[in-house]
Amino acid sequence: MSNSLLTLTINGHEVHASPDASIIQAYAHADNAITANVGCMGQGVCGSCRCMIRKEGEREVRTALACETKVEQGMQVSFIDYFIPEHIQYYDITAIGDGWNWLEDTQKAFPEAEHCRHCGGCNRACPKGLEVENGVAQVVAGDFGAAADTFDQCVMCNLCTLSCPEHIRPNHLGLFARRMKAARTLRPVDLMRRLREIDSGKMKVEFDGELAS
Amino acid sequence: MSEHITGIDYQTALANLRSSDLTMREDLPPQDELLRRFHPDYQDGARIKLPIGPNAGDYCHPELAKLLISQPLINDYDLSGAEHLNTDVLVIGGGGAGAAAALSATEAGARVIMANKLRIGDSNTVMAEGGIQAAIGADDSLQQHFEDTFKGGHHAANKHLVAQMVTDAPAAIRWLIGLGMTFDLAKGENNNGHLSRKRAGGTTVPRILSYRDFTGLEMMRVLREAVELDENITQLNRHPAIELLSDEHGRCVGAILYDLEKRRLILVHAKSVVLATGGSGRLHLQGFATSNHYGATADGLVMAYRIGAKLKDMDSFQYHPTGVAHPPHLAGALISEAVRSAGTKLVNGLGERFVDELLPRDVVAAAILRECREGRGVVWDGQVGVFLDTPRLIAGDPDVLNRLVTLGHIAHKCGVNPAEEPVMIHPTLHYQNGGIEIDGNGESCVEGLYCAGEVTGGIHGRNRLMGNALLDIISFGRRAGAAAATSGLPLKKVRGGVGHVHNLQREMTRAGLVSEVKAPVLYPNYGKFDLREHAGLQEQQS
Ligand SMILES: Cc1cc2nc3c(=O)[nH]c(=O)nc-3n(C[C@H](O)[C@H](O)[C@H](O)COP(=O)(O)OP(=O)(O)OC[C@H]3O[C@@H](n4cnc5c(N)ncnc54)[C@H](O)[C@@H]3O)c2cc1C
Ligand code: SF4
Ligand code: SF4
Ligand code: FES
């Protein structure tokens, strides 16, 4: 392991970091107050450290999760803040009907989804390498099961939403499909039975002569 | 913990491991003695008595005590220009407990403001891997769940809270499914079949329900979406709470937030407050690395203690046996208990096993610390630890990495091929066992102050079982939110200030206590955040 430090730019500040460090660690050891774009610090699940990076000598800017990306000499990094876009449609999962109207429900909550131009912007943006564009097509086609699989490992970093020219919010569309599928169809028999036993008073906890109500 | 590391250098230890027949050392002290001598909670300097405040005379970790008895971040003078907001319920902290509380409060008809230090979801909840306990198996019962939990917590838990939580569990799972959370099904079964159940250390039957090995991510992304789509919840991201507000009767009637974007203070008046700020791993107690998220800095405990809430078991923490020890920049990251359940052995620098890997977490952690302290650990790049023998596991069960996806992931980040080299591990600060005392509705002894999740104490006693924290946050989050929604004074009558802060300061003066520390600290010290500097506030001599 080499001990010489690398130099890179993070949010406009020059930062020196050990070659083993992730971007988030390099940032943490730099001299400014860190109050955003960090959460799980390395597990790669919270999606808050989303950033754009440009490597030295390359023109292309790509997106990444800073806690999963190692520093490189000459790298330029800008973090991207989190925001909730204004044009979102509110839906209430508990108010959505019995499941026969999935396609209509989808169209109501995500009217833009049908306009996907298959530009692939969302795929390029995804730091988890998910097939986002496919996922969008699956939801639109009503194949919620396939879409649920496609978005299985999504960390909701919102990078695909940022990159979509049609304002589709692909990750939220994917989550909608996942949520619908669970809320409408997951009815585990063992859970149903246990709930019934509890509700009917057949099963309860007893201790020290007192009953838990 | 790392004052003078002695041990066996990595290359030698690796050779020892490879030639080892994995004999077990025979000299492990009895559990009580092991814990007393090696568990961090029992070490010299791991607890002191709190001199003042609601818990005067009770034990507390000294680092935490420094924060509980400290100076506030702001004084009255700073509040003059602050903006005012009103709401029925103010929820502080947007992890799983806060989200559950906010959703339940609006279900009960309240308007909610949710204040988050980071962004909603950036929390310990999203990081949970293993799963959530609920006694739904035919071979299981609420009673067994109750007894396992109580025993696991060394008989220190509040039985009423435990009974209530385990009874809530199946309904909590149903509620989560209703919001769209998915759970794994037993092999080969469909959505109307049985849920898949895993076994946790310290339980009598398999009781852990999960979604793959990222249960917390699945839970949090569903909860976050539900909160963001609820028009009765106003989200304030990057608005840490820095103090609670009290009225002249000592009731909690809101909080002071700091808007990081606009660099100004906001006073939120509320009929009641739900505090759900999570744990304290990022305080790095006794120099330990941690598995916790960046914002876990005990803010809730500090604010609650100042307003007069009673705490419990403030000297009891969970050190998870298998945190990453090398490379240094990943130190503390969690390697799930599932890896040990799958049969992976712990091996010291001499190539010996030294503890039954499936004993409770506190015992295994103490045994590892003993190896390190007595010079049988592995030393590499200034880090000390023991080996988690993944090569042998994978040789015996080549498919195992398909089940333990995150293990492969984290080994890769460590620069290790787990089929060839072991991962080097060391206990990591994982969970705050104690916290604010609550009743069955999550209410503290301060009227109007409800609390839920890792910030509370009494549910897990002095040791928490895997899967009970995720249950706790849903069970008590929902109860606290619902109770908060239907309590408190009419908003018109609510007027709050920081009189309670002055009371504690007067107590400090009377006891001759001087402190330069300002709290809550909001971010770990390497976050280099100074509120007064950030907000451009002038230092006032008071
Ligand atoms: C790596 C890891 C794995 C785990 N695995 C499991 C598991 O498998 N099963 C299980 O049951 N438990 C597990 N746990 C424990 C469990 O995840 C947590 O105890 C639980 O999620 C805590 O939820 P919470 O809502 O109380 O706190 P958190 O989820 O931590 O949320 C607290 C929130 O409050 C915010 N906050 C803090 N201070 C302030 C402030 N001053 N103002 C405003 N907001 C503030 C934080 O930023 C955070 O967003 C694990 C924990 C970790 C770290
Ligand atoms: S699908 Fe979108 S939100 Fe999800 S991980 Fe990929 S880019 Fe991020
Ligand atoms: S970025 Fe938007 S328009 Fe382009 S492929 Fe993805 S979803 Fe379709
Ligand atoms: S800090 Fe959570 S994904 Fe990077």
Side-chain angles (χ1 to χ4, degrees):
Chain A
M1 192 180 327
S2 139
N3 279 326
S4 60
L5 295 182
L6 305 180
T7 305
L8 63 160
T9 315
I10 305 180
N11 278 1
H13 299 274
E14 191 176 287
V15 168
H16 304 278
S18 125
D20 294 317
S22 65
I23 295 173
I24 208 88
Q25 281 164 337
Y27 191 40
H29 288 108
D31 238 359
N32 28 15
I34 300 184
T35 61
N37 295 119
V38 48
C40 64
M41 287 205 92
Q43 206 177 312
V45 291
C46 77
S48 63
C49 61
R50 56 199 198 145
C51 62
M52 292 189 292
I53 54 181
R54 186 154 88 184
K55 298 189 178 186
E56 193 166 53
E58 282 183 16
R59 284 177 54 198
E60 197 198 345
V61 175
R62 66 187 84 185
T63 51
L65 293 178
C67 73
E68 292 202 304
T69 310
K70 275 198 180 175
V71 294
E72 286 177 32
Q73 176 62 31
M75 196 182 237
Q76 287 177 294
V77 182
S78 317
F79 283 98
I80 305 173
D81 264 349
Y82 179 77
F83 69 98
I84 303 174
E86 270 164 24
H87 63 271
I88 68 172
Q89 311 275 337
Y90 289 89
Y91 67 87
D92 177 359
I93 197 100
T94 55
I96 287 177
D98 57 11
W100 280 101
N101 299 320
W102 274 3
L103 292 170
E104 286 87 336
D105 293 335
T106 308
Q107 209 191 15
K108 237 189 267 161
F110 294 88
E112 303 87 357
E114 293 178 349
H115 305 154
C116 173
R117 347 175 159 164
H118 304 289
C119 66
C122 49
N123 283 0
R124 275 195 303 280
C126 183
K128 292 289 181 184
L130 308 184
E131 295 187 353
V132 189
E133 180 188 337
N134 263 346
V136 171
Q138 286 159 342
V139 188
V140 171
D143 195 349
F144 282 41
D149 289 344
T150 304
F151 287 102
D152 189 55
Q153 303 211 23
C154 170
V155 296
M156 299 300 286
C157 68
N158 265 0
L159 281 168
C160 52
T161 282
L162 268 180
S163 71
C164 177
E166 294 288 347
H167 303 297
I168 292 175
R169 307 174 68 233
N171 54 327
H172 294 275
L173 181 72
L175 185 57
F176 174 75
R178 292 188 55 82
R179 294 180 69 195
M180 290 281 276
K181 182 166 174 250
R184 292 284 148 266
T185 71
L186 184 57
R187 295 291 179 272
V189 54
D190 41 4
L191 177 61
M192 287 194 286
R193 277 197 214 127
R194 185 52 40 88
L195 282 166
R196 185 137 177 257
E197 285 168 349
I198 296 170
D199 291 345
S200 68
K202 228 175 101 189
M203 184 181 279
K204 53 186 152 203
V205 179
E206 299 186 22
F207 58 93
D208 293 353
E210 294 168 79
L211 289 184
S213 55
Chain B
M1 91 197 162
S2 48
E3 314 88 65
H4 30 252
I5 301 171
T6 53
I8 294 140
D9 80 88
Y10 177 76
Q11 292 304 340
T12 317
L14 193 61
N16 288 343
L17 174 76
R18 290 191 169 142
S19 62
S20 161
D21 57 2
L22 296 190
T23 34
M24 174 77 97
R25 288 184 72 87
E26 303 270 307
D27 61 351
L28 195 73
Q31 285 194 14
D32 282 358
E33 188 192 329
L34 180 73
L35 290 176
R36 198 162 24 77
R37 285 179 49 206
F38 299 100
H39 192 281
D41 282 355
Y42 300 81
Q43 301 312 293
D44 283 348
R47 56 183 205 167
I48 56 162
K49 279 192 175 166
L50 282 166
I52 59 165
N55 285 83
D58 293 344
Y59 285 115
C60 178
H61 194 284
E63 289 302 314
L64 203 52
K66 266 189 218 155
L67 301 182
L68 296 182
I69 295 160
S70 61
Q71 302 299 329
L73 293 175
I74 45 139
N75 47 48
D76 285 332
Y77 173 84
D78 304 318
L79 293 174
S80 44
E83 192 191 336
H84 288 247
L85 296 176
N86 289 314
T87 185
D88 296 329
V89 176
L90 170 65
V91 175
I92 304 174
L103 291 168
S104 306
T106 62
E107 271 169 40
R111 283 178 314 128
V112 173
I113 288 181
M114 178 191 262
N116 300 310
K117 177 158 65 181
L118 298 161
R119 172 186 63 137
I120 176 175
D122 297 343
S123 60
N124 280 355
T125 303
V126 80
M127 300 173 75
E129 297 177 356
I132 175 167
Q133 288 205 30
I136 57 155
D139 54 351
D140 199 0
S141 68
L142 301 182
Q143 190 72 28
Q144 266 164 285
H145 190 176
F146 171 82
E147 277 163 20
D148 289 347
T149 302
F150 190 64
K151 195 163 154 238
H154 300 307
H155 307 280
N158 174 331
K159 286 187 179 180
H160 285 273
L161 299 183
V162 179
Q164 190 183 286
M165 175 179 82
V166 304
T167 309
D168 280 351
I173 304 299
R174 177 183 173 164
W175 185 74
L176 289 167
I177 292 174
L179 289 174
M181 177 172 172
T182 306
F183 288 90
D184 286 334
L185 293 154
K187 217 171 172 175
E189 300 208 27
N190 64 24
N191 268 6
N192 184 218
H194 297 76
L195 292 170
S196 152
R197 293 186 282 134
K198 289 189 288 194
R199 182 142 195 179
T203 60
T204 43
V205 291
R207 188 182 296 129
I208 301 261
L209 313 181
S210 54
Y211 184 69
R212 324 259 266 151
D213 59 358
F214 43 84
T215 312
L217 169 60
E218 170 67 0
M219 181 187 284
M220 196 66 235
R221 63 189 171 191
V222 165
L223 288 174
R224 174 171 49 208
E225 194 80 345
V227 166
E228 287 187 344
L229 293 179
D230 189 327
E231 290 178 284
N232 288 315
I233 303 175
T234 305
Q235 276 293 316
L236 298 175
N237 286 320
R238 304 194 66 218
H239 279 68
I242 57 171
E243 208 71 71
L244 295 170
L245 291 173
S246 60
D247 72 3
E248 69 273 26
H249 305 291
R251 287 183 286 237
C252 179
V253 293
I256 303 166
L257 312 180
Y258 179 63
D259 176 346
L260 282 155
E261 220 76 56
K262 302 210 171 101
R263 302 186 179 224
R264 61 175 184 189
L265 299 168
I266 300 177
L267 262 57
V268 183
H269 281 103
K271 294 201 290 190
S272 41
V273 174
V274 180
L275 196 60
T277 50
S280 53
R282 285 280 154 194
L283 296 180
H284 296 286
L285 301 177
Q286 280 153 281
F288 270 80
T290 183
S291 62
N292 284 195
H293 84 290
Y294 183 72
T297 52
D299 303 351
L301 299 180
V302 173
M303 293 186 281
Y305 200 66
R306 268 189 200 145
I307 205 172
K310 211 163 171 323
L311 312 179
K312 200 177 173 344
D313 299 324
M314 287 326 304
D315 55 341
S316 175
F317 298 85
Q318 184 164 80
Y319 294 81
H320 194 291
T322 51
V324 169
H326 189 277
H329 72 273
L330 289 177
L334 191 71
I335 297 178
S336 157
E337 186 163 309
V339 179
R340 270 176 299 133
S341 311
T344 325
K345 304 294 182 235
L346 295 171
V347 181
N348 68 18
L350 300 172
E352 305 162 324
R353 284 179 67 202
F354 50 89
V355 66
D356 171 357
E357 289 78 4
L358 295 177
L359 288 174
R361 284 180 182 174
D362 49 355
V363 177
V364 179
I368 297 169
L369 292 169
R370 172 173 176 255
E371 294 308 296
C372 296
R373 183 111 49 93
E374 295 183 348
R376 296 184 297 273
V378 183
V379 176
W380 190 9
D381 279 344
Q383 304 289 109
V384 64
V386 298
F387 285 142
L388 186 64
D389 188 7
T390 51
R392 244 174 272 231
L393 174 79
I394 296 168
D397 179 1
D399 258 2
V400 70
L401 284 181
N402 291 331
R403 277 182 284 128
L404 303 174
V405 185
T406 346
L407 172 64
H409 203 64
I410 196 153
H412 174 75
K413 280 191 219 169
C414 294
V416 161
N417 172 358
E420 304 274 320
E421 300 124 306
V423 189
M424 202 171 130
I425 59 102
H426 186 274
T428 179
L429 179 52
H430 187 57
Y431 188 79
Q432 169 184 296
N433 291 327
I436 304 159
E437 261 184 51
I438 50 169
D439 69 10
N441 286 323
E443 194 167 19
S444 70
C445 65
V446 175
E447 205 182 317
L449 180 63
Y450 294 79
C451 313
E454 196 169 335
V455 77
T456 65
I459 298 163
H460 308 290
R462 296 182 68 85
N463 179 52
R464 171 184 67 87
L465 300 184
M466 165 184 178
N468 268 346
L470 288 184
L471 172 57
D472 159 7
I473 64 179
I474 302 302
S475 165
F476 286 94
R478 290 184 69 199
R479 283 177 178 273
T486 52
S487 75
L489 300 172
L491 257 180
K492 268 190 251 135
K493 300 208 173 143
V494 165
R495 278 209 56 78
V498 291
H500 59 281
V501 177
H502 305 315
N503 291 344
L504 195 72
Q505 282 180 310
R506 274 192 291 275
E507 253 195 90
M508 285 173 68
T509 314
R510 273 201 299 276
L513 298 167
V514 191
S515 172
E516 302 276 294
V517 178
K518 286 191 172 161
V521 293
L522 305 179
Y523 306 95
N525 53 12
Y526 37 87
K528 301 185 191 70
F529 177 80
D530 181 323
L531 181 112
R532 302 198 67 86
E533 202 179 289
H534 198 267
L537 296 172
Q538 302 300 316
E539 225 30 86
Q540 278 293 106
Q541 241 29 64
S542 54

